[in-house]
Amino acid sequence: MSLSLSTRDPRRIRDKVAVNIALVLVAAGFVIPLVWLLLAAFDAKAGVAVSWPHPWTFDNFDAILTMDTTYRPMLNGVILCGGGTLVTVLASVLAAYPLSRYQFRAKRPFLLTILFATGLPITAIMVPVYGLFVQVNLIDTFTGTILFMATTALPISIWLTKNFMDGVPIELEQAAWTDGASTMQGLRSVVLPLMWPGLAVVTIYTFIGLWGNFFVPFVLLASNDRLPASVSIYTFFGQYGQIVYGQLAAYSLLYSLPAVLLYLVLSRRLGGAFSFGGAVKG
Amino acid sequence: MTVSATQPGATERWRRGLIQGMPLGPAVVLLGVFLAGPILYCLYAAFTDMALTGGTGAHFVGLDNFRKAFESPEFRQSLVYTLVFTLLSAIIGQNVLGMVLALLMRSSTAWIRATVSAIVIGAWVMPEVVAGYLWTAFLGDDGSLNHLLGMVHLPPQDWLFSVPILAVSLANIWRGTAFSMLVYSAALSEVPKEIEESATVDGAGTVQRLWSVTLPMIRRSITTNLMLITLQTLSVFGLIWTMTRGGPSNHSTTLPLFAYQQAFQLSQLGYGTALALVLLAIGAVFSLVYLRALRLEDGR
């Protein structure tokens, strides 16, 4: 590091202060909507502007913590998104393996199709999917919705998994094969343990994506007692002429919590490893 | 990384290819049934006068749906809004802001960096619908933004009413910037410090160094990121729907919303799917442009 300039250089210090100020300003812009959410949730008389609750109260939470408003939609969300994530991750790991390890003629077109499908506007295919689900009696079922949600998450998930798997050197597997392991054993006992930070990224990304998805369950599920949290927040609005902002904020807070917590847990365990760097290099 | 064995025969090679490709099965079946199937159905329905109600069956109408679309001012307007929304919120907003944040974070104090990235990522982790409501509140008549403007004696206005497309674009920047920031942070962390420092020693200014050394080194990440966020933004539905429902008087109706309105609310399945096809085509065009850029890189 003989080339590095002294950090005590006054120009350096001035630059650093300027950089920090710029960052704080941007962050201030980002944080205001979040602050509103936090404050309004504890303010029984919350409006749309940020204001300090007086008094702080749990009234909003008391009002919404009922079976119909909160508990059942949350549970439905966990079933739908948990199931969807499981299917997605399993199918992606399996699919990523040949894509990462073998050369075959259809590989490049397949990968390009996958990449294009990541951006596929799901709205565009909801109409035919609705028709298909009615035909085969999957409409308003968890199974059908889980499978479809898993499929919507599959392209990006395969893409990311494949790129993470590329980072695991094939030599390690070849050693396992020499020891008599089959391909799938090699995948399970050599590749997966080495790419678990990548897998965690895929899992969390998938779950957060599905947890936030409201359009798919909104179209595919009909019964009130099957709707997940993402949709019932929407019906929440329709039911009341006058919007009770405090309750909406409290509900939004609870609904956002699983995604936030899951992100925190994983990002802490991963340390700095939460990076799309390897995944988005193309 | 081909695992080659000793010159197998044609059938043997075919058999081995089948076994090797087998793990693709579940993904291919899911994608085939739930993604490719509906798209093919789309291709068919777009050329018919299929409707949700009526039950007269679908008749082949050729290009009528597309002709109707391109002759309709509402469609052309939604096309413009889609492009404005994508340009403003993804290509300019998320992309530039994400890059700026990633660059600034490299030379900032550790705890400030941690706090700022936590906040930006917090916005990204929020579910789409919640983000929509947060911004509806923030931009509302009596919302925080107008209070802030009042403090500096600027006239308040109902942002969702006067400039709805800008309002939803801002919300989308807020929500999506973290993705670009994470991508660019990761890419920048792989740029060797020595190269940038030697550029500094050679007398390059900060901007010059950034433009001619740092950015070219991460250009593949930039292209890939641009493609991903463009495609994501083209298909944004929930955010706009919760904030404005496409209004007032369709002034924030992007193509996904327009297609939804036509197909589900006005029951014109054929027309709606034709619109959806146009949206797919736009995504394909953007993808081709970016992929071409990536391929040019490969050829170097």
Side-chain angles (χ1 to χ4, degrees), chain B residues 85-143:
Chain B
F85 180 66
T86 308
L87 191 72
L88 270 186
S89 70
I91 298 174
I92 296 176
Q94 295 178 9
N95 183 44
V96 173
L97 192 56
M99 177 65 84
V100 167
L101 282 170
L103 285 168
L104 289 177
M105 280 181 183
R106 290 205 305 172
S107 45
S108 64
T109 312
W111 69 269
I112 292 187
R113 175 164 58 231
T115 315
V116 173
S117 70
I119 290 169
V120 176
I121 291 173
W124 178 55
V125 174
M126 285 292 138
E128 195 176 19
V129 189
V130 173
Y133 291 135
L134 290 186
W135 276 80
T136 311
F138 180 65
L139 298 173
D141 230 351
D142 191 36

Side-chain angles (χ1 to χ4, degrees), chain A residues 20 30 50 101 115 127 234, chain B residues 1 109 144 174 227 241 269:
Chain A
N20 283 332
F30 270 82
V50 172
R101 291 306 191 238
L115 194 61
V127 182
Y234 175 77
Chain B
M1 246 186 245
T109 312
S144 304
W174 181 81
M227 171 154 78
W241 187 253
L269 284 197

Side-chain angles (χ1 to χ4, degrees), chain A residues 1 3-5 11-12 15-16 18-24 26-34 36-37 47-50 87 91-104 108 110 112 114-130 132-133 138 144 147-148 150-152 154-156 158-159 166 168-170 174 177 184 205 208 211-215 218-219 230 233-234 237 245 248 252-253 255-256 259-260 263 274-282, chain B residues 1-3 20-24 26-28 30-31 33-35 37-39 41-42 52 97 100-101 103-105 107-110 112-113 115-116 119-130 133-138 140-144 147-148 173-175 177-179 182-183 186-187 190 193-194 197-198 200-201 206 209 220-221 224-225 227-228 231-232 234-235 237-239 241-242 245 256-257 259-260 263-264 269 273 276-277 279-281 283-285 287 291 294-295 298:
Chain A
M1 296 296 274
L3 281 176
S4 74
L5 303 171
R11 211 185 46 149
R12 275 262 160 137
D15 283 356
K16 192 162 185 169
V19 162
N20 283 332
I21 290 174
L23 273 181
V24 167
V26 175
F30 270 82
V31 85
I32 295 173
L34 294 173
W36 175 79
L37 180 68
V48 291
V50 172
V87 174
S92 310
V93 167
L94 287 174
Y97 188 80
L99 291 174
S100 165
R101 291 306 191 238
Y102 308 131
Q103 291 298 340
F104 47 97
R108 190 175 161 82
F110 187 81
L112 290 184
I114 290 287
L115 194 61
F116 176 55
T118 58
L120 195 72
I122 295 305
T123 343
I125 58 166
M126 279 323 285
V127 182
V129 167
Y130 181 84
L132 174 76
F133 272 43
L138 277 175
L147 287 178
F148 183 70
T151 310
T152 62
L154 206 48
I156 185 78
I158 292 178
W159 182 260
D166 284 347
V168 180
I170 197 167
Q174 283 166 341
W177 296 339
M184 282 299 118
Y205 189 71
I208 291 176
W211 187 254
N213 190 332
F214 100 100
F215 192 55
F218 178 63
V219 172
S230 52
I233 192 177
Y234 175 77
F237 244 62
Y245 280 103
L248 177 72
S252 299
L253 200 61
Y255 164 49
S256 308
V260 176
Y263 180 84
F274 186 81
S275 90
F276 285 97
V280 187
K281 241 178 266 165
Chain B
M1 246 186 245
T2 325
V3 190
Q20 286 184 346
M22 218 147 61
L24 280 168
V28 168
L30 282 174
L31 292 171
V33 172
F34 293 120
L35 227 46
I39 291 171
Y41 191 75
C42 244
L52 268 179
L97 192 56
V100 167
L101 282 170
L103 285 168
L104 289 177
M105 280 181 183
S107 45
S108 64
T109 312
I112 292 187
R113 175 164 58 231
T115 315
V116 173
I119 290 169
V120 176
I121 291 173
W124 178 55
V125 174
M126 285 292 138
E128 195 176 19
V129 189
V130 173
Y133 291 135
L134 290 186
W135 276 80
T136 311
F138 180 65
D141 230 351
D142 191 36
S144 304
H147 280 244
L148 285 175
I173 294 173
W174 181 81
R175 201 176 116 76
T177 296
F179 184 82
L182 287 169
V183 170
E190 284 174 16
K193 273 252 176 325
E194 290 75 19
E197 277 170 4
S198 65
T200 313
V201 171
T206 312
R209 188 187 63 203
R220 286 187 64 87
S221 297
T224 315
N225 181 55
M227 171 154 78
L228 291 178
L231 291 176
Q232 280 165 14
L234 277 178
S235 54
F237 179 88
L239 186 73
W241 187 253
T242 31
R245 299 225 176 171
L257 278 89
Y260 170 79
F264 277 108
L269 284 197
T273 45
L277 269 188
L279 184 62
L280 290 179
V285 168
S287 305
L291 286 173
L294 277 177
R295 189 176 298 188
D298 284 340

Side-chain angles (χ1 to χ4, degrees), chain A residues 101 164-170 172-173 190-191 194-195, chain B residues 1:
Chain A
R101 291 306 191 238
F164 283 122
M165 207 177 271
D166 284 347
V168 180
I170 197 167
L172 296 169
E173 268 169 281
V190 179
V191 182
L194 283 172
M195 60 173 290
Chain B
M1 246 186 245

